[in-house]
Amino acid sequence: MTIRNGQSGGRPARRFISLRTKLIGFVSLIIVVICSALGVYFIQQRAEVMDSSLNALILKTALITVVIILCGIAVTIVLARRIITPLKCLAGGASRVAEGDLTVSVTPTTHDEVGQLTEVFTHMTESLKERDVAISSHIQTITKQVRELAALNKISMAVATTLEIDKLLATVLRLLIQNVGFKNARLVLYDSDRRVVYGSRLAGVPEEVDREWRKVEVSVQDDGSLLAELLIHGRPVLIEDIDTAALRLTPFNLKPIRAAGVISIVCAPLKSKEHILGYIGAARGAQRCTQEDLDLLVTIASAVAVAFDNARAYQQLEHLAQTLEQRVQHRTQLLLEANRRLQELDKLKSDFVSTVSHELRTPMTSIKGYVDNILDGLTGALTERQSYYLNRVKSNVERLTRMINELLDLSRIEAGKVDLNLGNVRMHEFVSEVVEGFQVMAQQKGLTLRMHQPDELPVIRCDHDKLHQVLTNLIQNAIKFTPTGGEVRVESQVRDDGFLTIGVIGTGCGILPHELDKVFEKFYRGESGSPDDPRWGLGLAIAKSLVKLHGGQIWVESTPGQGSRFYFTVPIAPPPPVNSFPRM
């Protein structure tokens, strides 16, 4: 195939023609090959015609290519608007949500997957916004509760450490205003016995208003009023609107409320151990109170009631202690004065007894001497009747002499003028000597007087005469209270603790149990004694004093109807020196 070239232009034109010629040759070759394969035969045409056709083909191809490119660009722009732009919007919204802006809202523009994704993102944003609102609300609630708990804890600690009533009430009102957030508060005390409210304290009002209402006392009646609801029935009250509840409010409540300008109040009774002690009222000024305010005030009122009850009990106890102290001081002064007078009277009595005893002792000695002389026949012979009466006189004189001697001994003991004349005493011989001295008296009464003691008893350093007086008194009493045919036994025993025990046992009437602690008291005469018994009841008291002076003890054991057993101890070692004897 031959192709003609046109007229030559410039160098670029020649290059284009050469390129076109090569391209035409290459395309023709391809067409010939393809047509040969398909069995197609070509008819040779002129070169000019073919060149014109090829140019038209190239132009069409170029136009189609341009159209395709433009369609691709258009399709790309459309796709970008439907996919990329919404995704950019979603990305921007996500960034703002990540930064904490939950007000972002992305509107879906299609119904494909991108539109669905946009709707999901919008729902997610709304959910986050709702959760954020809920969390904020919970945080506010928790913050409020924490603040209220902190205030409640502070109030509880403050009232628990306060025992002065005035200080306690002032502290409660101050903390209600400062820590709980109330604008006004009132605390009123209640006397349930008189059904009267008193001692009102106000906070959040002028001081003159507070002072004015402190002095007011109002009786409480069960008339459906606010006071009756709180103080008689013990129920907390929430009044959301003062105007609608004005009929339930007495002037005691309404006047200070109007003066403070509040529109709503909460009140809670002060209850402790089922007793109503008063009530607490609070308000938030121009803001309405809620059920939460009432619940909080009820909790505070419980703690305040217990603290107030404790403070009042402490105040009463303190007053009682002061009164008791004053009474004790007064009674102490009375007792001191009475004791002083008793000491003076006791001294006068002792002086009187000592003086009278000494004054009686001399004439008694003279009378006894004259009677003995008459009985001895110095004044002549006596008739039997005269001898009988003179012997009676002698016996009574001897009895009076013994009584006088006992009074003198008692006076010396009470005056602390008794001293021990210590000496070495062989106790075996001492006991035998005293017992033998009463054998005649025992035989005359028909009694058996026995002695049971070891063959050897220690030598004790003691006052012979005073121990002789003690043992003599015990044996005399045993013989006196043991009936005819009975037995009196004297026993001695050395104990392991360094004491010698001497006992006098009689089979007499015995001593009643309630008298055992009294037989050693001065002037005591037991119920079992005879009314005609001439004794004064001083012998055992003197014996007890003398035994104690030696450092020993004396006691009695008895079974009514079987007899009594009197024991006393004497230390084997010498007793400590005693300058004076303690008063009985």
Side-chain angles (χ1 to χ4, degrees), residues 223-238:
D223 52 5
S225 63
L226 175 65
L227 291 178
E229 193 78 5
L230 289 167
L231 302 175
I232 296 179
H233 302 290
R235 291 192 285 263
V237 176
L238 165 62

Side-chain angles (χ1 to χ4, degrees), residues 131-192:
R131 287 192 177 185
D132 184 66
V133 172
I135 291 173
S136 299
S137 176
H138 289 319
I139 290 176
Q140 291 178 357
T141 303
I142 292 173
T143 303
K144 181 180 179 182
Q145 290 177 351
V146 169
R147 186 171 62 252
E148 291 174 351
L149 287 174
L152 179 59
N153 181 58
K154 192 170 184 179
I155 291 175
S156 299
M157 292 180 61
V159 299
T161 56
T162 305
L163 292 175
E164 297 179 11
I165 292 180
D166 290 337
K167 184 178 179 181
L168 171 66
L169 301 181
T171 301
V172 171
L173 292 176
R174 176 174 55 82
L175 293 178
L176 284 175
I177 300 298
Q178 294 180 356
N179 294 82
V180 183
F182 289 112
K183 301 297 182 182
N184 310 91
R186 187 180 197 183
L187 200 153
V188 179
L189 304 180
Y190 177 58
D191 186 345
S192 57

Side-chain angles (χ1 to χ4, degrees), residues 371-382:
V371 170
D372 287 338
N373 289 336
I374 294 173
L375 289 174
D376 290 339
L378 295 179
T379 59
L382 298 174

